[in-house]
Amino acid sequence: MKTSIRRSVFVTALSFAAAFAGACSSDDAESAHREADSVVVHEQWVKAADSGMTSAFAEFRNSADSEVRVVAASSPAAGWAELHEIAPGDTGAPVMRPKAGGFVIPADGTYTLAAGGDHLMLMDLLAPLTPGAETEITLEFADRSTMTFTAQVRDFAGAQENYQPGGGDTADAPAAPSTPAHGG
């Protein structure tokens, strides 16, 4: 009888150990494929602004053998952030608007956010962003993984496009002014 109880305890313990090992290995497999882990950020900076909104720029390098997609951004410096593109408006003049579908960083490639082009828009600034300061920006990827980087605040006077709401899911975001001094 004692042998039977010992065998039962041993089998139960072995079952728990196998289940635990399986859970750990599946977590390791999932974390090995996080989109955020394959991206490195270079040349990141934010345009100085006293209030309202401003733009952030950077170069994203993807080391994975498949594309990754940035779908959202946030920063403690702003009430919310949007992924933006510059496109011709109704009159043909360039306007900035939320970029539907996010930013796709190609496999073994780069994606550049630049003044006058795609950029991150920091909306409803919570305090002035002064030259020389730094702020954190967090990116969210399509697989829901995230990465945070620090960007330096710089003076920049160029790229004064108009803001055209729409083009993305901004239903929860408050209305933005039609002509900001943002430098997108």
Side-chain angles (χ1 to χ4, degrees):
M1 179 107 157
K2 288 183 183 180
T3 305
S4 176
I5 292 173
R6 284 186 202 156
R7 188 175 306 159
S8 178
V9 170
F10 177 75
V11 169
T12 301
L14 191 57
S15 296
F16 279 121
F20 181 75
C24 288
S25 65
S26 71
D27 287 345
D28 291 343
E30 286 176 22
S31 66
H33 292 69
R34 289 173 16 109
E35 290 183 347
D37 293 340
S38 67
V39 175
V40 177
V41 180
H42 296 278
E43 305 297 325
Q44 63 270 26
W45 64 282
V46 176
K47 182 183 184 259
D50 290 329
S51 62
M53 61 182 94
T54 194
S55 300
F57 312 101
E59 179 182 85
F60 304 137
R61 293 186 186 158
N62 176 12
S63 62
D65 58 3
S66 60
E67 70 181 26
V68 299
R69 183 181 305 267
V70 177
V71 296
S74 62
S75 173
W80 83 96
E82 295 178 349
L83 311 180
H84 276 197
E85 66 180 344
I86 303 296
D90 295 337
T91 65
V95 296
M96 68 169 172
R97 62 183 180 210
K99 184 165 177 92
F103 303 143
V104 177
I105 309 170
D108 281 324
T110 61
Y111 192 91
T112 302
L113 304 181
D118 292 354
H119 58 278
L120 299 172
M121 199 72 205
L122 305 181
M123 313 287 274
D124 192 21
L125 294 178
L126 302 176
L129 291 174
T130 57
E134 294 182 334
T135 190
E136 288 186 343
I137 297 173
T138 299
L139 302 177
E140 181 179 336
F141 294 82
D143 68 353
R144 303 190 62 88
S145 63
T146 61
M147 71 171 302
T148 300
F149 62 91
T150 301
Q152 183 183 55
V153 179
R154 300 179 186 170
D155 275 326
F156 182 72
Q160 298 294 323
E161 297 85 6
N162 293 320
Y163 178 60
Q164 177 180 323
D169 183 12
T170 58
D172 294 331
S178 60
T179 310
H182 59 74

